[in-house]
Amino acid sequence: MSETPTPEKTATHFVHKIIEQDQAAGKHDGRVHTRFPPEPNGYLHIGHAKSICLNFGTAEKYSGKCNLRFDDTNPEAEDVEYVDSIRDDVRWLGFDWDDREFFASDYFDQLYEWAEKLIQDGKAYVDSSSLEDIRAGRAGWDKAGQESPYRNRTPEENLDLFRRMKAGEFQDGEHVLRAKIDMNSPNMNLRDPIMYRIRHAHHHRTGDKWCIYPIYDWTHGQSDSIEGITHSICTLEFENHRPLYDWYIEQLGIHHPQQIEFARLNLTYTVMSKRKLLELVKGGLVSGWDDPRMPTIRGIRRRGYTPEAMRAFCDEIGVTKYNSLTDLAVLENAVRADLNKRCERRMAVLNPLKVVITNYPDDKSEMLQAVNNPEDESAGSREIPFSRVLYIEQDDFMENPPKKFFRLGPGREVRLRYAFFIKCEEVIKNDDGEITEIHCTYDPETRGGNAPDGRKVKATLHWVSAAHAVDAEVRLYDHLFEIENPADVPEGKDWKDFLNPNSLVKVTGAKLEPSLKELGIGERVQFERLGYFCVDKDTKPENLVYNRTVTLKDTWAKAKKKR
Ligand code: ATP
Ligand code: MG
């Protein structure tokens, strides 16, 4: 018997519970309309992805709408470069805002009109104090504030000054417009917050039309209201801005969206603030916004993460009211689970050790069948060349293997994946005593990887044929920071002092099976036993570059246990 689930049963977190209660109560006529409101002053990061998934996902789930709105109130920090990248990254995550793309700057005229209304109602005034004096007057939450000497200007005087501010008669900083609320409120946001400041600056959309710009707090709530937003979802730090947003909306008597705050996403071993990310980029500490070590959407895209994995991750971590630090391993597990299903397997050797199969003819080579993806039969199989000289991983051979090492060593037999059993007969060294190659014999009876006599081997190694291999540079990534929480460093230290010097290791001279030359930029694949990789955009015809997206297992957790 199938039953349509009641709304109460479908909500998995408190934001959706609120929405379902509102719908049940007929609030906003049952409408759900959200928005994702980035400021175009940097590239989006994984934290934004959480907000995007929540806002767009909520609209999807409740058959509502979600707008993309650029909160572009700060001309000095903003740029079209960021607008373009934000659009592109939201689309990449798999969301669409149809024709509902808005800019807070489109509301500047309306906001200006409303500011005049507040002035006329005696609820806003022009303050000609310096910013320092304004700050000092607001004091601290536990101290009484000091009213500005300009607080009791008449509405007429305020209106005249405000119009002249707009007309460009004053220099930056000469006056500000403040809301007249309560200089003794325990909530600092209500101590006559600034609404407008003078900035003779060029705006990426309004050009030179304005020389006064609305403060974010005076813009955000009204923008939501103009758009008919029902649920204005934002991060916890805006909780004590809510009374201010409510105050503005009430004074103006306009549509009142409901603000709901949730905890922002923080991840271990990285930073998640645009300001800090910009500092890394500007300081040349990473190669750019799309450096694969960056927690930006650009970075993880280049690293090879998929939008599906990001969305699964956001679902998994859920939505709460408590700030916490999410283990990066949770994200990496989501990426692995996703790539495991979709990636074909290939063989690649990062640190090659030459193996000569002494009983294999010099002039011969043969093709062997290899399965493309054991998780997905429809991926089929491919042929890989085998010949007399091969490469295996240096790590897979030890001249004096300890007890627990089951891979290749003198006199030992192992399986080469999809090929034959080989046995190590001789170790060849140079004059310095370094191993240069090993000589093995193969058993032609074991073609395909099994012995007809039923004998077993303890290890299966990946390999490539030397004559057929393609060369590549492979970039291995580790945590960007050495410490779990670089947002919280000991006093006197700079967070940048904790960057991990080994976060990028470039392996040159890797040897790949021939088919790996055919992949296009961004295409993903599993290198057997080594992890998931994708072709980097730095790839040139003469220099193939692969990024390691993620290891096959959480090797970091293993390393931690050992310590
Ligand atoms: P940052 O702190 O990185 O500078 P921001 O909050 O200033 O970010 P905005 O462009 O204002 O960046 O963010 C757009 C939306 O994304 C906002 O609604 C914000 O609350 C949300 N957001 C930003 N960072 C996170 C995060 N780490 N987790 C969840 N949501 C976030
Ligand atoms: Mg912000």
Side-chain angles (χ1 to χ4, degrees):
M1 201 178 72
S2 81
E3 204 182 298
T4 316
T6 57
E8 285 76 17
K9 283 186 191 152
T10 68
T12 55
H13 54 71
F14 79 98
V15 175
H16 287 172
K17 286 205 177 104
I18 293 174
I19 287 176
E20 292 178 5
Q21 280 160 10
D22 287 350
Q23 285 193 320
K27 199 171 165 185
H28 310 293
D29 303 322
R31 235 169 21 93
V32 173
H33 200 150
T34 57
R35 81 287 172 267
F36 172 63
E39 184 186 347
N41 62 350
Y43 285 75
L44 297 182
H45 52 58
I46 301 174
H48 293 116
K50 176 175 178 179
S51 176
I52 294 166
C53 289
L54 179 56
N55 279 294
F56 280 93
T58 297
E60 262 176 23
K61 184 173 165 114
Y62 296 100
S63 309
K65 290 180 177 148
C66 180
N67 297 353
L68 174 62
R69 182 180 71 244
F70 295 95
D71 269 343
D72 53 348
T73 54
N74 182 4
E76 282 134 328
E78 293 158 8
D79 201 280
V80 281
E81 173 195 350
Y82 300 131
V83 172
D84 292 340
S85 76
I86 289 169
R87 281 189 192 119
D88 190 59
D89 284 346
V90 176
R91 270 198 209 103
W92 178 80
L93 275 168
F95 297 108
D96 187 7
W97 52 97
D98 299 320
D99 56 352
R100 293 180 313 280
E101 177 175 297
F102 302 108
F103 290 82
S105 55
D106 292 342
Y107 310 140
F108 281 179
D109 285 301
Q110 175 67 77
L111 288 166
Y112 177 82
E113 236 176 73
W114 279 333
E116 284 207 352
K117 175 178 158 47
L118 289 192
I119 291 172
Q120 279 158 343
D121 292 348
K123 287 166 182 162
Y125 61 97
V126 173
D127 195 341
S128 310
S129 312
S130 68
L131 278 183
E132 295 77 64
D133 286 348
I134 291 176
R135 204 168 295 134
R138 299 179 79 189
W141 63 271
D142 54 346
K143 292 192 192 78
Q146 196 79 53
E147 288 188 2
S148 160
Y150 303 98
R151 197 175 198 259
N152 294 315
R153 279 174 165 159
T154 62
E156 293 68 36
E157 195 185 350
N158 283 321
L159 202 55
D160 173 63
L161 282 169
F162 188 50
R163 287 180 177 165
R164 289 166 57 202
M165 279 166 66
K166 179 184 180 231
E169 288 187 27
F170 305 112
Q171 301 295 308
D172 288 7
E174 264 188 81
H175 309 281
V176 293
L177 183 72
R178 295 178 75 178
K180 194 170 179 176
I181 310 181
D182 178 3
M183 285 307 288
N184 284 315
S185 173
N187 184 339
M188 296 299 292
N189 293 307
L190 296 178
R191 290 194 180 184
D192 290 10
I194 294 175
M195 295 167 62
Y196 276 92
R197 56 199 181 123
I198 303 172
R199 273 287 176 287
H200 290 269
H202 187 86
H203 186 279
H204 69 110
R205 281 180 69 83
T206 58
D208 296 316
K209 176 176 174 187
W210 296 91
C211 61
I212 54 170
Y213 286 96
I215 293 293
Y216 180 86
D217 274 352
W218 163 244
T219 312
H220 186 75
Q222 280 70 261
S223 301
D224 279 351
S225 177
I226 291 170
E227 292 176 17
I229 299 305
T230 56
H231 299 85
S232 174
I233 303 170
C234 62
T235 41
L236 284 183
E237 65 275 21
F238 289 99
E239 195 160 15
N240 56 15
H241 294 237
R242 178 159 29 100
L244 173 59
Y245 298 171
D246 288 349
W247 188 86
Y248 284 139
I249 299 260
E250 277 157 27
Q251 305 313 307
L252 298 170
I254 56 178
H255 165 71
H256 197 154
Q258 178 179 359
Q259 178 169 311
I260 306 172
E261 304 89 11
F262 72 101
R264 58 197 297 128
L265 169 66
N266 299 299
L267 276 179
T268 54
Y269 301 106
T270 191
V271 289
M272 203 91 84
S273 116
K274 277 188 271 189
R275 185 182 56 77
K276 286 182 177 166
L277 296 174
L278 182 64
E279 221 177 307
L280 293 177
V281 173
K282 288 248 162 91
L285 297 164
V286 293
S287 66
W289 285 101
D290 69 347
D291 186 306
R293 294 167 294 177
M294 290 277 272
T296 50
I297 307 283
R298 286 295 146 125
I300 61 166
R301 283 173 72 167
R302 184 169 169 194
R303 176 88 169 247
Y305 289 17
T306 64
E308 291 82 2
M310 286 310 301
R311 289 168 70 156
F313 167 70
C314 289
D315 268 353
E316 188 181 339
I317 56 174
V319 182
T320 71
K321 273 268 185 200
Y322 306 97
N323 277 319
S324 64
L325 198 55
T326 299
D327 196 333
L328 190 60
V330 178
L331 173 60
E332 294 195 337
N333 276 333
V335 173
R336 266 183 213 110
D338 178 69
L339 295 181
N340 182 43
K341 285 178 278 170
R342 70 173 70 231
C343 287
E344 293 199 356
R345 276 56 168 167
R346 293 290 183 272
M347 290 202 282
V349 174
L350 299 191
N351 298 297
L353 170 63
K354 188 172 164 186
V355 175
V356 179
I357 311 292
T358 51
N359 60 339
Y360 197 89
D362 214 358
D363 52 355
K364 185 180 164 181
S365 73
E366 65 191 288
M367 299 305 277
L368 300 165
Q369 287 286 313
V371 172
N372 284 333
N373 185 353
E375 301 282 322
D376 174 11
E377 217 172 291
S378 72
S381 62
R382 68 189 184 284
E383 294 200 312
I384 44 174
F386 184 89
S387 62
R388 180 180 162 91
V389 182
L390 312 169
Y391 293 116
I392 62 167
E393 216 61 72
Q394 285 172 19
D395 278 359
D396 282 337
F397 175 81
M398 282 187 96
E399 196 178 8
N400 300 299
K403 248 193 175 159
K404 290 220 166 133
F405 186 90
F406 298 115
R407 291 166 275 165
L408 201 56
R412 289 186 177 198
E413 191 173 49
V414 297
R415 175 189 296 110
L416 293 181
R417 181 91 156 138
Y418 299 122
F420 300 94
F421 286 10
I422 60 165
K423 190 170 172 188
C424 175
E425 310 284 357
E426 196 183 352
V427 179
I428 312 294
K429 295 181 181 175
N430 63 16
D431 294 343
D432 297 328
E434 296 158 344
I435 298 171
T436 53
E437 60 187 63
I438 57 175
H439 287 183
C440 297
T441 50
Y442 87 118
D443 177 357
E445 297 295 315
T446 58
R447 195 173 200 273
N450 286 305
D453 63 6
R455 80 180 186 277
K456 301 279 181 230
V457 287
K458 282 194 172 148
T460 302
L461 309 185
H462 61 273
W463 56 277
V464 294
S465 161
H468 304 89
V470 292
D471 294 312
E473 174 185 326
V474 175
R475 298 178 183 169
L476 305 177
Y477 302 102
D478 199 346
H479 300 153
L480 186 52
F481 287 86
E482 289 177 309
I483 54 171
E484 273 200 350
N485 190 4
D488 181 26
V489 299
E491 236 182 74
K493 293 270 189 180
D494 188 296
W495 56 278
K496 295 191 291 303
D497 296 341
F498 296 91
L499 279 163
N500 175 6
N502 303 313
S503 57
L504 167 61
V505 173
K506 288 188 181 182
V507 178
T508 52
K511 301 283 183 183
L512 319 183
E513 75 168 76
S515 65
L516 286 168
K517 203 174 170 57
E518 309 307 321
L519 270 57
I521 287 169
E523 276 194 81
R524 307 171 181 93
V525 63
Q526 184 195 101
F527 290 177
E528 299 229 17
R529 299 175 66 216
L530 298 175
Y532 296 95
F533 293 76
C534 70
V535 181
D536 189 72
K537 68 167 195 184
D538 283 349
T539 287
K540 302 261 159 30
E542 68 286 357
N543 186 35
L544 185 55
V545 183
Y546 270 90
N547 294 315
R548 179 153 68 189
T549 306
V550 67
T551 53
L552 287 183
K553 287 192 212 104
D554 185 2
T555 47
W556 186 262
K558 244 201 268 168
K560 241 202 258 179
K561 242 188 236 161
K562 266 192 212 155
R563 264 189 267 136

